[in-house]
Amino acid sequence: MNTHLIALLFFAATVVIYGVSKGLYQRRPRLWLSPVVVTPIALIILVKLTHTPFAVYFEDTRWLSWLLGPATIAFAYPIYTQRALLRRYPVTLFVGVSAGLCLGLFSSWLLARLFGLPPDLAHSLLPRSVSTPFALAAAGAFGGDKNLTVICVMVTGIFGLLIGDAFLGWLGLRSSVSKGAALGASAHGFGTSKAYEIGDQEGAVASLVMVFTGVSMVLLAPLFAHWVG
């Protein structure tokens, strides 16, 4: 079969699987039924069963990845609508951004050292704690592979989404600002989506922390790359 046709079919399959899983999640809001969990798993199984190379799958579905950029910029609107709230908590937001950036880099470096990851994977892992558009921009400074970086970002977001809400409950956080900052810093876009399910204030704070953490990662990536070697 023509590779372009296969790529087009996978594009359609990606959209359909996401749409079906989103409808299912709206009826039964369970974390394991979330589109960001169901869609990647279903696609991985489909790609493996059909023995389709990643390059073929990515040929047409790359446009979905491109949409992550405009989607990230769209978070500016809820930030604007909640600007009064955000001006009240500059210190909390600054701490959230700084902690998310530093802990994300340190945990990535530590994982690479503990498990003896090969250089390509270790370098690709470093920017995993920020949203995909920012991670892709920072991956070059770290000498990582962008395809591997996307996978690392996805895994981080899904893991943060699955345990984030329960972990915040265990910590006993009640402040909407603290919850939003924690979710935005630890699980970037996935955490921000979860924050909006909790409330508008949580979502706005998560959006701001996610964007500022991503911008900081891109600007400071050359310096961080020098530090970690």
Side-chain angles (χ1 to χ4, degrees), residues 34-57:
S34 172
V36 298
V37 176
V38 174
T39 305
I41 293 175
L43 290 172
I44 289 172
I45 294 173
L46 186 59
V47 167
K48 294 294 290 183
L49 288 177
T50 57
H51 304 287
T52 303
F54 177 76
V56 174
Y57 169 80

Side-chain angles (χ1 to χ4, degrees), residues 42-101:
L43 290 172
I44 289 172
I45 294 173
L46 186 59
V47 167
K48 294 294 290 183
L49 288 177
T50 57
H51 304 287
T52 303
F54 177 76
V56 174
Y57 169 80
F58 195 66
E59 182 178 334
D60 281 336
T61 55
R62 67 183 185 276
W63 301 112
L64 296 175
S65 299
W66 179 85
L67 289 173
L68 288 172
T72 301
I73 295 173
F75 282 120
Y77 176 73
I79 292 172
Y80 175 77
T81 60
Q82 296 288 340
R83 60 192 182 280
L85 170 70
L86 303 178
R87 283 197 296 265
R88 288 167 52 192
Y89 301 101
V91 176
T92 302
L93 296 173
F94 175 78
V95 171
V97 171
S98 301
L101 186 62

Side-chain angles (χ1 to χ4, degrees), residues 149-195:
T149 295
V150 170
I151 295 173
C152 293
V153 171
M154 289 287 292
V155 172
T156 299
I158 292 172
F159 185 76
L161 178 66
L162 291 175
I163 71 167
D165 198 26
F167 187 68
L168 290 179
W170 178 74
L171 289 176
L173 291 181
R174 296 182 180 179
S175 167
S176 60
V177 177
S178 298
K179 287 182 179 180
L183 288 169
S186 62
H188 40 81
F190 294 92
T192 300
S193 298
K194 181 61 181 179

Side-chain angles (χ1 to χ4, degrees), residues 99-203:
L101 186 62
C102 295
L103 289 175
L105 281 167
F106 176 73
S107 61
S108 299
W109 175 84
L110 187 61
L111 284 171
R113 287 302 183 98
L114 287 176
F115 293 99
L117 300 179
D120 285 350
L121 180 55
H123 296 162
S124 302
L125 185 67
L126 289 170
R128 68 177 176 83
S129 60
V130 297
S131 186
T132 302
F134 301 113
L136 289 175
F142 289 111
D145 181 276
K146 291 186 176 182
N147 291 329
L148 289 176
T149 295
V150 170
I151 295 173
C152 293
V153 171
M154 289 287 292
V155 172
T156 299
I158 292 172
F159 185 76
L161 178 66
L162 291 175
I163 71 167
D165 198 26
F167 187 68
L168 290 179
W170 178 74
L171 289 176
L173 291 181
R174 296 182 180 179
S175 167
S176 60
V177 177
S178 298
K179 287 182 179 180
L183 288 169
S186 62
H188 40 81
F190 294 92
T192 300
S193 298
K194 181 61 181 179
Y196 274 112
E197 291 183 13
I198 298 174
D200 289 339
Q201 291 185 351
E202 288 85 349

